[in-house]
Amino acid sequence: MRFAQITKEESFETVDDATMAQLSSIMAYIRDLVGIQSLKGKLEHIKFFQKLIEDKEFKTKFYNKLCTTKDSKELYHLLLWKENILMLDEIKNRFDIDLNNITKVTHDYSMKRLDGVYKLIYLNDQDFYESIIFVHERIRPILKLLLPLPEDYGIQAIRELEDTEFSYSNEQGVLSFVPLIDDMLQNNLVNFGKTGEKPLAKTLNILKSSSATNEFFTAKTMDRFATDMLTRSFSFYRWEMSAKFQKAPQDTIMKFLKFQFEDKFRYSIIRTFTAHLRKVRYGYFLDGQKSLFIITRHILNNIPKKSWSSVENILNFCKYNDFRFDLESFRKTREYYIDIDTVNKKYSWRDQAYCDDVNYNALFFEPVIKAMLFYLGSLGILELKYNEPTSPHSIKQKGKNYISVWDGLRYIRFTALGLYVLGFEKKYRADVTKVKKTDLKFDAYKPIITVDSSDIIAQAKLEPYVVKYDTDRYILNYAQIFKNCTNQKVLNLKIDNFYKTIEPKPPKIVDDFFQNIKKKSALITKETQNVVLVLQKEKELLNLFMTNRTIKELVIKATGYRVVVDKDNLPLLRKIVQENGFFVEF
């Protein structure tokens, strides 16, 4: 049996966190094992427990007494290492628990303790809660130091893998994606929606069709997850950090991942991880995402570097170490929920399952950790093996077979790129698949440009200047060029950008087309100094304008019932008409 190894300072803090009543409950159970009658004060209790934590012989005896039966061994394993809280209805028939022989906890009227080998297990059966059993949160850490570690406490290398439906690697895909999105960002071809968080479908389609990025799934609503994640990541890397992309894409990925793990960006990649949940709020000043990255780094540091690892083993590793994070707060996490199909008293009368103490792992922690591993897969850090998403728990999202789309993940392994980017290897030789680029062909007689139909990026660059002429030909178009140009300066910048990003030396027909636009621009200007007033057909008013000498001098031009007046003269005109009994609002 293996036991946890901690320092004296750590053991002191762990034991000191428990109350005297809680320490006494453990002492009452082990008194016959240690041959001691009483201890005075909490400090004596702490020092005594510190000695027990260091005594392997005692810990073996304690384990053999506490886990004398198969049921007690399994139940303590579940409560200490796996679930923390169990619903009494789910386990009372599974384990031999005597509910007729329980003891009230004197210092907490709502709690009771079971009897026999289960006497360190608490029961809460208040009328307005469903009955639950648990090991008190201040006793659990002490018992975990006194009992042996689970056999799969560390993350083990897997040599024989079960068959999976999908195998995934985006190592080559991300190396082609990085220079591609760099080019698109430089040409302002990456666009997000109104919230500024989600890339537009058009942008994703261009990137997906122009790079070698592999997607996780082929189903229509799930076939752009990887491209979406990468687009968000490297767009905000450029926009927020003002970071230049490195010459080698693997070095850009390394620099980006450093910033990401430090949570330097204002955007929340975790949005894509928690799409199955409702009531989740995101914000730059929330620390939850950074906590997720700390846990992720801890996982990456502990998985085998050259072998496959089981995701089930990784999730157990997280539970054994009591890893937890909350995006907003502990209280807010309990308000997150998913819609479910069947009305079930356990969840909610409104067909909703909440991320409470019982469902936190199933609904929040596990899906987010799996999503994080998928994300690292899209970045080319990990290879993945997975199945179609199927819930590993009794809960399922309404109308689905899963809680989240990430449910099917089974195994992960580092890629060569991942080992390099995370600093486990010093060298990496990239095999970059270059994106196909075609030369533009210009017509000699018309401003027509021919583009290979497979070159989506070239088409996107040309789009602000052209309309489609036929299958693979485009023609320069005034309306398209003038689109979104609010003034002559913007128009000139747009024309100059054609020479910078598309063709520095176009043929004369194209050059003349643009020069002609510049020549003809600003030939019509809007007169803002003069104001047109519309008179109503009223005899006395019309007579005033026709006979008053001053008004006649102020009017520049009159046509029908409309008169043009210099706006500087409006105060004088208003004074004259009001003196003659006409109220005006100009």
Side-chain angles (χ1 to χ4, degrees):
M1 288 186 284
R2 292 189 305 137
F3 296 90
Q5 302 294 319
I6 62 172
T7 64
K8 280 196 172 184
E9 290 78 11
E10 290 171 331
S11 66
F12 185 94
E13 291 177 5
T14 301
V15 180
D16 187 40
D17 193 46
T19 64
M20 272 295 296
Q22 291 158 354
L23 294 177
S24 297
S25 67
I26 303 176
M27 281 297 300
Y29 190 80
I30 65 173
R31 197 177 304 279
D32 61 322
L33 292 179
V34 295
I36 190 169
Q37 295 301 313
S38 64
L39 293 169
K40 295 180 180 180
K42 188 173 184 180
L43 185 59
E44 277 195 26
H45 277 79
I46 293 173
K47 289 182 178 179
F48 181 72
F49 272 98
Q50 282 185 293
K51 290 181 181 178
L52 296 182
I53 290 169
E54 295 175 357
D55 187 342
K56 186 174 181 179
E57 183 179 349
F58 162 77
K59 289 188 287 188
T60 303
K61 289 179 181 178
F62 177 62
Y63 170 71
N64 290 332
K65 179 177 181 180
L66 192 66
C67 302
T68 54
T69 67
K70 181 181 178 182
D71 281 353
S72 62
K73 181 179 179 180
E74 184 178 353
L75 187 55
Y76 274 112
H77 176 76
L78 285 172
L79 291 173
L80 291 178
W81 300 104
K82 287 289 188 73
E83 302 300 335
N84 297 1
I85 292 174
L86 292 171
M87 308 299 293
L88 184 61
D89 286 345
E90 291 185 0
I91 57 93
K92 65 183 179 182
N93 295 325
R94 179 178 164 191
F95 298 98
D96 183 19
I97 298 176
D98 183 5
L99 295 177
N100 296 318
N101 193 8
I102 55 179
T103 306
K104 287 186 177 180
V105 178
T106 55
H107 58 278
D108 192 332
Y109 75 92
S110 67
M111 294 186 191
K112 300 170 185 176
R113 279 213 311 270
L114 304 183
D115 194 43
V117 291
Y118 299 129
K119 67 168 52 178
L120 297 180
I121 296 175
Y122 287 70
L123 167 68
N124 187 330
D125 61 352
Q126 295 184 79
D127 292 339
F128 47 91
Y129 285 124
E130 288 202 58
S131 298
I132 56 175
I133 64 168
F134 58 96
V135 175
H136 198 285
E137 61 182 4
R138 293 185 178 181
I139 294 179
R140 278 183 73 248
I142 300 174
L143 294 184
K144 289 173 79 168
L145 295 176
L146 294 174
L147 294 174
L149 298 172
E151 292 181 4
D152 60 342
Y153 183 82
I155 302 176
Q156 308 296 322
I158 301 294
R159 289 175 175 78
E160 292 186 10
L161 280 64
E162 295 180 7
D163 292 338
T164 57
E165 296 174 78
F166 305 101
S167 294
Y168 179 90
S169 175
N170 199 39
E171 183 174 2
Q172 299 307 315
V174 74
L175 293 174
S176 73
F177 181 91
V178 169
L180 175 64
I181 197 170
D182 182 24
D183 184 28
M184 289 186 63
L185 286 165
Q186 290 183 50
N187 287 282
N188 298 316
L189 298 177
V190 177
N191 298 301
F192 279 58
K194 291 181 180 179
T195 63
E197 285 279 354
K198 187 175 181 180
L200 294 180
K202 181 178 179 180
T203 294
L204 295 179
N205 287 336
I206 293 172
L207 285 162
K208 182 183 173 184
S209 60
S210 302
S211 71
T213 302
N214 289 324
E215 286 296 337
F216 305 126
F217 304 102
T218 57
K220 189 172 182 180
T221 58
M222 302 163 66
D223 63 347
R224 294 188 303 202
F225 286 156
T227 303
D228 186 317
M229 289 174 169
L230 294 175
T231 303
R232 295 179 195 230
S233 298
F234 289 104
S235 296
F236 284 97
Y237 170 73
R238 164 62 66 82
W239 294 334
E240 291 192 6
M241 307 308 296
S242 298
K244 290 185 178 180
F245 283 58
Q246 309 296 305
K247 184 176 181 181
Q250 63 268 28
D251 294 331
T252 298
I253 297 168
M254 177 186 286
K255 192 174 180 181
F256 161 76
L257 202 59
K258 179 179 182 295
F259 287 144
Q260 182 68 287
F261 278 162
E262 292 173 357
D263 202 25
K264 295 289 189 181
F265 305 112
R266 289 184 179 271
Y267 86 105
S268 300
I269 191 63
I270 203 171
R271 282 177 182 271
T272 62
F273 303 169
T274 55
H276 63 293
L277 291 170
R278 297 179 181 271
K279 299 275 283 191
V280 183
R281 295 188 312 163
Y282 309 93
Y284 176 64
F285 297 106
L286 301 176
D287 293 330
Q289 185 167 260
K290 188 171 185 178
S291 299
L292 168 63
F293 295 149
I294 291 171
I295 292 171
T296 302
R297 190 67 210 228
H298 197 70
I299 292 171
L300 296 176
N301 287 339
N302 282 274
I303 62 176
K305 301 303 178 282
K306 301 287 187 180
S307 304
W308 289 95
S309 301
S310 161
V311 172
E312 182 182 4
N313 188 187
I314 291 170
L315 292 175
N316 284 339
F317 173 78
C318 293
K319 291 176 184 177
Y320 298 158
N321 285 279
D322 291 324
F323 290 161
R324 179 188 172 105
F325 74 96
D326 297 285
L327 190 56
E328 301 173 74
S329 67
F330 177 85
R331 181 179 64 83
K332 284 291 185 182
T333 300
R334 294 172 64 89
E335 296 176 5
Y336 303 162
Y337 68 90
I338 66 168
D339 293 318
I340 58 176
D341 278 318
T342 307
V343 175
N344 187 315
K345 181 183 175 185
K346 171 184 169 183
Y347 303 135
S348 167
W349 62 274
R350 292 178 297 177
D351 292 348
Q352 295 163 350
Y354 282 82
C355 295
D356 54 20
D357 293 340
V358 175
N359 294 324
Y360 169 81
N361 279 320
L363 298 185
F364 185 76
F365 188 85
E366 291 180 15
V368 172
I369 291 296
K370 289 179 180 179
M372 185 70 203
L373 298 176
F374 266 102
Y375 177 48
L376 292 172
S378 72
L379 287 166
I381 307 301
L382 298 174
E383 287 182 67
L384 313 174
K385 286 186 178 293
Y386 52 97
N387 296 317
E388 287 285 352
T390 303
S391 173
H393 303 280
S394 59
I395 310 172
K396 294 180 179 66
Q397 199 176 143
K398 188 172 184 178
K400 309 289 185 183
N401 290 322
Y402 52 78
I403 294 173
S404 83
V405 296
W406 318 112
D407 280 352
L409 187 60
R410 297 292 309 280
Y411 305 103
I412 65 169
R413 180 174 69 178
F414 279 119
T415 62
L417 174 63
L419 292 171
Y420 170 75
V421 165
L422 292 169
F424 298 125
E425 295 286 352
K426 293 183 178 180
K427 294 181 180 180
Y428 176 73
R429 183 175 179 179
D431 182 15
V432 181
T433 302
K434 292 186 177 180
V435 179
K436 180 183 178 182
K437 290 186 178 182
T438 57
D439 293 330
L440 302 179
K441 297 178 181 178
F442 292 88
D443 190 274
Y445 304 103
K446 292 182 179 181
I448 294 174
I449 305 169
T450 302
V451 186
D452 191 302
S453 59
S454 65
D455 195 340
I456 308 299
I457 299 299
Q459 294 173 32
K461 289 181 179 180
L462 280 173
E463 186 178 346
Y465 305 91
V466 300
V467 293
K468 198 154 189 174
Y469 191 73
D470 55 28
T471 307
D472 56 359
R473 293 195 298 171
Y474 299 82
I475 187 167
L476 293 176
N477 177 267
Y478 291 125
Q480 198 72 356
I481 294 171
F482 294 156
K483 189 177 180 180
N484 298 325
C485 291
T486 54
N487 55 55
Q488 187 172 353
K489 182 178 179 181
V490 175
L491 175 62
N492 288 339
L493 286 172
K494 188 172 184 178
I495 292 172
D496 292 344
N497 198 52
F498 181 93
Y499 291 87
K500 289 180 181 178
T501 63
I502 297 176
E503 179 53 60
K505 294 181 180 180
K508 188 174 186 301
I509 186 72
V510 172
D511 196 46
D512 288 347
F513 187 91
F514 284 124
Q515 296 310 315
N516 193 43
I517 288 177
K518 289 185 175 182
K519 182 180 178 181
K520 289 181 178 179
S521 65
L523 295 181
I524 303 173
T525 58
K526 182 173 69 173
E527 176 58 70
T528 58
Q529 183 62 30
N530 296 332
V531 177
V532 177
L533 302 178
V534 181
L535 308 181
Q536 297 301 311
K537 192 176 181 181
E538 203 280 332
K539 185 176 179 181
E540 190 177 347
L541 175 64
L542 296 176
N543 187 54
L544 176 64
F545 270 77
M546 289 187 293
T547 59
N548 186 285
R549 181 178 297 178
T550 305
I551 291 180
K552 290 170 70 175
E553 290 176 354
L554 295 178
V555 173
I556 298 172
K557 185 177 182 180
T559 304
Y561 295 107
R562 287 176 169 78
V563 294
V564 180
V565 182
D566 189 307
K567 69 178 182 181
D568 292 338
N569 293 327
L570 283 178
L572 178 56
L573 179 62
R574 180 168 54 246
K575 181 183 179 206
I576 295 171
V577 296
Q578 287 184 349
E579 286 174 348
N580 285 272
F582 298 96
F583 175 76
V584 292
E585 295 183 358
F586 60 76

mmCIF file of all heavy atoms in Angstrom, residues 269-289:
data_model
loop_
_atom_site.group_PDB
_atom_site.id
_atom_site.type_symbol
_atom_site.label_atom_id
_atom_site.label_comp_id
_atom_site.label_asym_id
_atom_site.label_seq_id
_atom_site.Cartn_x
_atom_site.Cartn_y
_atom_site.Cartn_z
ATOM 1 N N ILE A 269 -11.898 31.748 -23.797
ATOM 2 C CA ILE A 269 -11.987 30.536 -24.618
ATOM 3 C C ILE A 269 -12.938 29.536 -23.963
ATOM 4 O O ILE A 269 -13.523 28.680 -24.634
ATOM 5 C CB ILE A 269 -10.589 29.903 -24.830
ATOM 6 C CG1 ILE A 269 -10.645 28.801 -25.905
ATOM 7 C CG2 ILE A 269 -10.022 29.365 -23.525
ATOM 8 C CD1 ILE A 269 -11.039 29.284 -27.274
ATOM 9 N N ILE A 270 -13.134 29.685 -22.660
ATOM 10 C CA ILE A 270 -14.009 28.758 -21.938
ATOM 11 C C ILE A 270 -15.458 28.879 -22.398
ATOM 12 O O ILE A 270 -16.286 28.010 -22.119
ATOM 13 C CB ILE A 270 -13.886 28.985 -20.408
ATOM 14 C CG1 ILE A 270 -14.300 27.722 -19.654
ATOM 15 C CG2 ILE A 270 -14.699 30.183 -19.954
ATOM 16 C CD1 ILE A 270 -14.007 27.774 -18.165
ATOM 17 N N ARG A 271 -15.800 29.934 -23.129
ATOM 18 C CA ARG A 271 -17.137 30.038 -23.725
ATOM 19 C C ARG A 271 -17.448 28.811 -24.580
ATOM 20 O O ARG A 271 -18.574 28.331 -24.611
ATOM 21 C CB ARG A 271 -17.233 31.288 -24.607
ATOM 22 C CG ARG A 271 -17.415 32.593 -23.879
ATOM 23 C CD ARG A 271 -17.428 33.751 -24.866
ATOM 24 N NE ARG A 271 -17.561 35.027 -24.198
ATOM 25 C CZ ARG A 271 -18.722 35.615 -23.912
ATOM 26 N NH1 ARG A 271 -19.836 35.024 -24.241
ATOM 27 N NH2 ARG A 271 -18.753 36.783 -23.301
ATOM 28 N N THR A 272 -16.436 28.355 -25.314
ATOM 29 C CA THR A 272 -16.648 27.209 -26.195
ATOM 30 C C THR A 272 -16.702 25.891 -25.418
ATOM 31 O O THR A 272 -17.128 24.875 -25.952
ATOM 32 C CB THR A 272 -15.535 27.121 -27.258
ATOM 33 O OG1 THR A 272 -14.271 26.930 -26.611
ATOM 34 C CG2 THR A 272 -15.484 28.394 -28.087
ATOM 35 N N PHE A 273 -16.261 25.911 -24.152
ATOM 36 C CA PHE A 273 -16.240 24.701 -23.331
ATOM 37 C C PHE A 273 -17.556 24.496 -22.578
ATOM 38 O O PHE A 273 -17.865 23.381 -22.175
ATOM 39 C CB PHE A 273 -15.121 24.748 -22.290
ATOM 40 C CG PHE A 273 -13.736 24.949 -22.848
ATOM 41 C CD1 PHE A 273 -12.674 25.242 -22.001
ATOM 42 C CD2 PHE A 273 -13.479 24.859 -24.204
ATOM 43 C CE1 PHE A 273 -11.392 25.426 -22.495
ATOM 44 C CE2 PHE A 273 -12.199 25.049 -24.710
ATOM 45 C CZ PHE A 273 -11.156 25.337 -23.851
ATOM 46 N N THR A 274 -18.285 25.576 -22.342
ATOM 47 C CA THR A 274 -19.458 25.519 -21.454
ATOM 48 C C THR A 274 -20.758 25.825 -22.196
ATOM 49 O O THR A 274 -21.733 26.271 -21.594
ATOM 50 C CB THR A 274 -19.294 26.512 -20.290
ATOM 51 O OG1 THR A 274 -19.037 27.823 -20.828
ATOM 52 C CG2 THR A 274 -18.145 26.122 -19.382
ATOM 53 N N ALA A 275 -20.762 25.581 -23.490
ATOM 54 C CA ALA A 275 -21.964 25.886 -24.289
ATOM 55 C C ALA A 275 -23.166 25.050 -23.863
ATOM 56 O O ALA A 275 -24.311 25.411 -24.164
ATOM 57 C CB ALA A 275 -21.659 25.661 -25.770
ATOM 58 N N HIS A 276 -22.934 23.930 -23.174
ATOM 59 C CA HIS A 276 -24.047 23.073 -22.745
ATOM 60 C C HIS A 276 -24.767 23.626 -21.520
ATOM 61 O O HIS A 276 -25.862 23.180 -21.187
ATOM 62 C CB HIS A 276 -23.534 21.664 -22.429
ATOM 63 C CG HIS A 276 -22.550 21.611 -21.297
ATOM 64 N ND1 HIS A 276 -21.283 22.172 -21.371
ATOM 65 C CD2 HIS A 276 -22.638 21.067 -20.036
ATOM 66 C CE1 HIS A 276 -20.648 21.968 -20.236
ATOM 67 N NE2 HIS A 276 -21.449 21.308 -19.413
ATOM 68 N N LEU A 277 -24.161 24.602 -20.844
ATOM 69 C CA LEU A 277 -24.704 25.117 -19.588
ATOM 70 C C LEU A 277 -25.427 26.450 -19.784
ATOM 71 O O LEU A 277 -25.060 27.249 -20.654
ATOM 72 C CB LEU A 277 -23.587 25.315 -18.557
ATOM 73 C CG LEU A 277 -22.923 24.055 -18.011
ATOM 74 C CD1 LEU A 277 -21.693 24.419 -17.197
ATOM 75 C CD2 LEU A 277 -23.897 23.244 -17.166
ATOM 76 N N ARG A 278 -26.422 26.682 -18.951
ATOM 77 C CA ARG A 278 -27.125 27.965 -18.938
ATOM 78 C C ARG A 278 -26.747 28.754 -17.686
ATOM 79 O O ARG A 278 -26.290 28.186 -16.712
ATOM 80 C CB ARG A 278 -28.644 27.748 -18.975
ATOM 81 C CG ARG A 278 -29.127 27.054 -20.259
ATOM 82 C CD ARG A 278 -30.633 26.859 -20.219
ATOM 83 N NE ARG A 278 -31.120 26.185 -21.409
ATOM 84 C CZ ARG A 278 -31.501 26.801 -22.529
ATOM 85 N NH1 ARG A 278 -31.428 28.124 -22.601
ATOM 86 N NH2 ARG A 278 -31.937 26.121 -23.566
ATOM 87 N N LYS A 279 -26.949 30.067 -17.765
ATOM 88 C CA LYS A 279 -26.705 31.000 -16.648
ATOM 89 C C LYS A 279 -25.223 31.261 -16.381
ATOM 90 O O LYS A 279 -24.857 31.802 -15.339
ATOM 91 C CB LYS A 279 -27.354 30.478 -15.346
ATOM 92 C CG LYS A 279 -28.853 30.316 -15.412
ATOM 93 C CD LYS A 279 -29.601 31.594 -15.124
ATOM 94 C CE LYS A 279 -29.617 31.893 -13.652
ATOM 95 N NZ LYS A 279 -30.550 32.985 -13.308
ATOM 96 N N VAL A 280 -24.343 30.902 -17.311
ATOM 97 C CA VAL A 280 -22.910 31.139 -17.124
ATOM 98 C C VAL A 280 -22.585 32.548 -17.603
ATOM 99 O O VAL A 280 -23.004 32.971 -18.679
ATOM 100 C CB VAL A 280 -22.057 30.123 -17.906
ATOM 101 C CG1 VAL A 280 -20.580 30.348 -17.625
ATOM 102 C CG2 VAL A 280 -22.463 28.701 -17.540
ATOM 103 N N ARG A 281 -21.848 33.281 -16.801
ATOM 104 C CA ARG A 281 -21.384 34.619 -17.181
ATOM 105 C C ARG A 281 -19.869 34.569 -17.379
ATOM 106 O O ARG A 281 -19.165 33.827 -16.713
ATOM 107 C CB ARG A 281 -21.718 35.652 -16.106
ATOM 108 C CG ARG A 281 -23.208 35.880 -15.892
ATOM 109 C CD ARG A 281 -23.434 37.048 -14.961
ATOM 110 N NE ARG A 281 -22.602 36.934 -13.770
ATOM 111 C CZ ARG A 281 -22.349 37.955 -12.950
ATOM 112 N NH1 ARG A 281 -22.842 39.145 -13.201
ATOM 113 N NH2 ARG A 281 -21.595 37.784 -11.872
ATOM 114 N N TYR A 282 -19.387 35.418 -18.275
ATOM 115 C CA TYR A 282 -17.959 35.453 -18.587
ATOM 116 C C TYR A 282 -17.441 36.874 -18.380
ATOM 117 O O TYR A 282 -18.155 37.843 -18.603
ATOM 118 C CB TYR A 282 -17.707 35.023 -20.033
ATOM 119 C CG TYR A 282 -18.365 33.715 -20.393
ATOM 120 C CD1 TYR A 282 -19.630 33.695 -20.971
ATOM 121 C CD2 TYR A 282 -17.740 32.507 -20.132
ATOM 122 C CE1 TYR A 282 -20.248 32.499 -21.282
ATOM 123 C CE2 TYR A 282 -18.353 31.311 -20.442
ATOM 124 C CZ TYR A 282 -19.605 31.311 -21.025
ATOM 125 O OH TYR A 282 -20.214 30.124 -21.329
ATOM 126 N N GLY A 283 -16.196 36.984 -17.988
ATOM 127 C CA GLY A 283 -15.624 38.312 -17.820
ATOM 128 C C GLY A 283 -14.137 38.237 -17.589
ATOM 129 O O GLY A 283 -13.631 37.268 -17.008
ATOM 130 N N TYR A 284 -13.442 39.292 -17.992
ATOM 131 C CA TYR A 284 -11.981 39.310 -17.911
ATOM 132 C C TYR A 284 -11.486 39.265 -16.471
ATOM 133 O O TYR A 284 -10.438 38.717 -16.178
ATOM 134 C CB TYR A 284 -11.469 40.571 -18.610
ATOM 135 C CG TYR A 284 -9.965 40.756 -18.509
ATOM 136 C CD1 TYR A 284 -9.098 39.836 -19.091
ATOM 137 C CD2 TYR A 284 -9.421 41.834 -17.831
ATOM 138 C CE1 TYR A 284 -7.729 39.993 -19.006
ATOM 139 C CE2 TYR A 284 -8.052 42.013 -17.751
ATOM 140 C CZ TYR A 284 -7.217 41.089 -18.340
ATOM 141 O OH TYR A 284 -5.869 41.255 -18.245
ATOM 142 N N PHE A 285 -12.268 39.845 -15.557
ATOM 143 C CA PHE A 285 -11.772 39.969 -14.183
ATOM 144 C C PHE A 285 -12.172 38.784 -13.302
ATOM 145 O O PHE A 285 -12.019 38.821 -12.099
ATOM 146 C CB PHE A 285 -12.277 41.287 -13.567
ATOM 147 C CG PHE A 285 -11.764 42.497 -14.281
ATOM 148 C CD1 PHE A 285 -12.586 43.233 -15.107
ATOM 149 C CD2 PHE A 285 -10.438 42.872 -14.168
ATOM 150 C CE1 PHE A 285 -12.112 44.345 -15.785
ATOM 151 C CE2 PHE A 285 -9.951 43.973 -14.844
ATOM 152 C CZ PHE A 285 -10.781 44.713 -15.655
ATOM 153 N N LEU A 286 -12.717 37.737 -13.926
ATOM 154 C CA LEU A 286 -13.011 36.524 -13.187
ATOM 155 C C LEU A 286 -11.808 35.586 -13.263
ATOM 156 O O LEU A 286 -11.189 35.444 -14.299
ATOM 157 C CB LEU A 286 -14.247 35.844 -13.773
ATOM 158 C CG LEU A 286 -15.534 36.693 -13.763
ATOM 159 C CD1 LEU A 286 -16.663 35.956 -14.459
ATOM 160 C CD2 LEU A 286 -15.943 37.049 -12.346
ATOM 161 N N ASP A 287 -11.478 34.947 -12.133
ATOM 162 C CA ASP A 287 -10.252 34.150 -12.055
ATOM 163 C C ASP A 287 -10.450 32.685 -12.431
ATOM 164 O O ASP A 287 -9.500 31.918 -12.451
ATOM 165 C CB ASP A 287 -9.674 34.217 -10.630
ATOM 166 C CG ASP A 287 -9.177 35.615 -10.291
ATOM 167 O OD1 ASP A 287 -8.743 36.321 -11.220
ATOM 168 O OD2 ASP A 287 -9.235 35.991 -9.103
ATOM 169 N N GLY A 288 -11.682 32.286 -12.706
ATOM 170 C CA GLY A 288 -11.962 30.871 -12.937
ATOM 171 C C GLY A 288 -11.204 30.281 -14.096
ATOM 172 O O GLY A 288 -10.710 29.150 -14.019
ATOM 173 N N GLN A 289 -11.092 31.029 -15.215
ATOM 174 C CA GLN A 289 -10.401 30.501 -16.380
ATOM 175 C C GLN A 289 -8.925 30.271 -16.073
ATOM 176 O O GLN A 289 -8.348 29.267 -16.496
ATOM 177 C CB GLN A 289 -10.563 31.447 -17.566
ATOM 178 C CG GLN A 289 -9.960 30.901 -18.848
ATOM 179 C CD GLN A 289 -10.383 31.683 -20.078
ATOM 180 O OE1 GLN A 289 -11.265 31.285 -20.804
ATOM 181 N NE2 GLN A 289 -9.720 32.810 -20.322
#
